Amino acid sequence: EGEALGALREAHSLAAARLLPDLTAARLLPSAVDDETRAASLAVAAGCVQRLRGGRAPTSHGGLRAEADAPRDVFGGESLAETTRLEPLVRSLVDRTAALLEAWPGHPALVAISTLCERLHSFRADSPLMQLLTGCELLLKRCWEWEAVACRETSIKPQIDALAALVLRWRRMEVEAWPALLRRAAERAHDAALLKIWARLFHVVNSHLWADSSAAAADDDAADASAAGADAADAADADRAAHLAEFFETFQRLLLTAEAGAFDAYLWLMRTFARQLEVEVRAGVRQGMGDQRWRYEGYASILHNLVSYYGQFSEPLRRAVADKRAPVEARLKEFAKLAQWSDRNYDALRQSVERSHASLSRGVRLVQELLEVPAATLLLGTLNGQEGAAEDVTAGAAASAAA
């Protein structure tokens, strides 16, 4: 049900973005739309109220759970239960700064604090937590600069203590969310692999659209086969077989040289192309498919068999990557448990933040380097040291494609 509600919200946002700008007094939607969309509108409105009031999220069994019990993505997702903690602190600081500005109109430090408070107030409630945290730390820096020269009557120490406590809370959450940070590193490697290779694979799969020399030669021979007799037909078949063999070698070489973080992405993309070709052959959506049918069927068969064969190595590769990641995860877990934070002043807080960032960055960098290792290298380490494992993989793929 949570997935259904998410899809409903996306559809509602898209419809609103497309329809509302064009609505005028002379051009309105029919009244029947209200009746047809009443249930969906109520569901979307109820979801917005739940998110804003309690930060509650739908569960897989249809109920609701508090956001405190839900996994947080502090690096990119919204966290309304946390962002609502900031509003009263900023409001208190705004009130205190306004009172001080009455006594010292135009004071640069107070104006800077007031400007930063306004900037934080302008953020959306669903802004990423790290974006708000950066603004809070900058605001805290300005507050400490004022506090360094303030007397007891002009002090803003209570506001600084409350803001520093919130900053430390969010920084602890950042460190404790290291699994999400490593997961995002893997997702970036997956997406980067798709971006790097998609256009080239599309060009190869749809090579006839660009009249590649080898493909054009195979097509010309096939078209002349009926007029030239059995010898020409055999030559055309040989050219087609050679073209399909070259197609097979291209995609097999891609998988054999894939990095660990790109292996599953390549498999997913090849599986998608195979399904596309199979559907096009069955549906006949291509105009003038005729003498091109052998190409679609051959490509689809090769991609299907390559994915089926190399897909069996996905799980061993994941286990190999997990084994290599285990020491990194253990160090980050230990650091999160023992991390110490100080809010005595801005410099102490900054040093604490820099230590945490250094540890997290080191862990992410090690995972990124691991994902850049060739998948074949990691797989060979999981095959019990069998001699000739790489040759067995290549031979098995060739036999699978030939089938």
Side-chain angles (χ1 to χ4, degrees), residues 97-181:
T97 303
L100 293 173
L101 279 172
E102 291 179 359
W104 290 277
H107 193 288
L110 295 176
V111 171
I113 293 174
S114 180
T115 301
L116 285 172
C117 289
E118 292 177 1
R119 177 63 178 141
L120 285 174
H121 260 308
S122 68
F123 286 156
R124 290 171 53 92
D126 57 357
S127 299
L129 205 59
M130 291 298 102
Q131 182 180 0
L132 294 173
L133 179 54
T134 301
C136 288
E137 289 179 340
L138 183 56
L139 176 59
L140 196 58
K141 178 181 179 181
R142 297 300 184 186
C143 289
W144 275 113
E145 290 175 354
W146 168 261
E147 188 65 19
V149 296
C151 63
R152 180 176 301 178
E153 288 74 16
T154 60
S155 173
I156 55 174
K157 190 64 163 60
Q159 289 78 12
I160 289 178
D161 290 343
L163 186 60
L166 183 62
V167 168
L168 289 181
R169 172 185 172 84
W170 287 354
R171 283 302 180 189
R172 290 192 187 97
M173 289 172 54
E174 178 188 28
V175 173
E176 293 169 359
W178 61 264
L181 199 60

Side-chain angles (χ1 to χ4, degrees), residues 27-342:
R27 185 171 179 268
L28 298 176
L29 295 175
S31 59
V33 173
D34 290 337
D35 295 331
E36 295 173 356
T37 62
R38 181 175 291 114
S41 298
L42 287 174
V44 172
C48 290
V49 171
Q50 290 162 353
R51 288 170 55 222
L52 292 174
R53 287 186 175 177
R56 299 171 73 84
T59 62
S60 58
H61 52 75
L64 294 172
R65 65 181 174 188
E67 187 174 312
D69 299 328
R72 294 191 182 104
D73 182 6
V74 299
F75 302 102
E78 65 180 44
S79 183
L80 296 178
E82 291 298 323
T83 56
T84 53
R85 297 174 181 270
L86 178 61
E87 198 276 336
L89 303 184
V90 174
R91 186 172 63 249
S92 174
L93 190 54
V94 167
D95 294 341
R96 179 59 174 159
T97 303
L100 293 173
L101 279 172
E102 291 179 359
W104 290 277
H107 193 288
L110 295 176
V111 171
I113 293 174
S114 180
T115 301
L116 285 172
C117 289
E118 292 177 1
R119 177 63 178 141
L120 285 174
H121 260 308
S122 68
F123 286 156
R124 290 171 53 92
D126 57 357
S127 299
L129 205 59
M130 291 298 102
Q131 182 180 0
L132 294 173
L133 179 54
T134 301
C136 288
E137 289 179 340
L138 183 56
L139 176 59
L140 196 58
K141 178 181 179 181
R142 297 300 184 186
C143 289
W144 275 113
E145 290 175 354
W146 168 261
E147 188 65 19
V149 296
C151 63
R152 180 176 301 178
E153 288 74 16
T154 60
S155 173
I156 55 174
K157 190 64 163 60
Q159 289 78 12
I160 289 178
D161 290 343
L163 186 60
L166 183 62
V167 168
L168 289 181
R169 172 185 172 84
W170 287 354
R171 283 302 180 189
R172 290 192 187 97
M173 289 172 54
E174 178 188 28
V175 173
E176 293 169 359
W178 61 264
L181 199 60
L182 300 187
R183 184 173 62 251
R184 287 169 69 89
E187 291 172 354
R188 285 196 298 270
H190 183 278
D191 294 343
L194 293 179
L195 289 174
K196 180 176 65 176
I197 205 68
W198 182 87
R200 283 182 282 175
L201 293 191
F202 181 86
H203 190 282
V204 172
V205 172
N206 299 276
S207 57
H208 64 286
L209 298 177
W210 289 270
D212 290 342
S213 57
S214 59
D219 292 341
D220 292 342
D221 290 340
D224 297 338
S226 58
D231 292 340
D234 292 341
D237 290 341
D239 288 339
R240 288 179 176 179
H243 177 73
L244 292 178
E246 182 180 358
F247 181 88
F248 167 80
E249 291 293 337
T250 298
F251 281 87
Q252 181 181 238
R253 185 165 56 251
L254 175 69
L255 291 173
L256 289 176
T257 58
E259 297 175 349
F263 187 79
D264 282 339
Y266 292 167
L267 284 177
W268 178 85
L269 194 56
M270 292 168 60
R271 187 181 297 111
T272 302
F273 279 128
R275 291 172 178 170
Q276 170 196 334
L277 293 168
E278 291 169 355
V279 169
E280 289 177 346
V281 170
R282 290 197 300 268
V285 296
R286 293 274 187 175
Q287 295 296 327
M289 181 175 289
D291 58 354
Q292 296 287 335
R293 189 177 184 88
W294 68 270
R295 185 191 309 277
Y296 293 105
E297 292 178 343
Y299 286 2
S301 177
I302 290 173
L303 291 175
H304 174 76
N305 283 284
L306 281 172
V307 170
S308 298
Y309 180 77
Y310 282 96
Q312 66 181 314
F313 299 107
S314 288
E315 189 58 34
L317 178 61
R318 293 191 192 102
R319 290 197 297 268
V321 171
D323 291 341
K324 297 291 185 181
R325 278 179 47 168
V328 178
E329 295 176 350
R331 286 196 294 270
L332 289 177
K333 185 176 181 179
E334 187 68 16
F335 173 78
K337 184 185 302 183
L338 301 178
Q340 296 181 353
W341 303 87
S342 174

Side-chain angles (χ1 to χ4, degrees), residues 311-389:
Q312 66 181 314
F313 299 107
S314 288
E315 189 58 34
L317 178 61
R318 293 191 192 102
R319 290 197 297 268
V321 171
D323 291 341
K324 297 291 185 181
R325 278 179 47 168
V328 178
E329 295 176 350
R331 286 196 294 270
L332 289 177
K333 185 176 181 179
E334 187 68 16
F335 173 78
K337 184 185 302 183
L338 301 178
Q340 296 181 353
W341 303 87
S342 174
D343 60 349
R344 296 190 308 274
N345 52 51
Y346 179 77
D347 289 335
L349 177 62
R350 180 176 55 82
Q351 292 173 6
S352 300
V353 171
E354 289 176 351
R355 284 196 301 270
S356 69
H357 281 176
S359 297
L360 292 176
S361 298
R362 189 182 307 112
V364 172
R365 185 174 64 253
L366 291 174
V367 170
Q368 289 174 339
E369 293 174 355
L370 171 62
L371 295 176
E372 293 172 357
V373 174
T377 301
L378 292 177
L379 283 171
L380 289 175
T382 66
L383 296 179
N384 299 323
Q386 294 179 0
E387 187 175 356

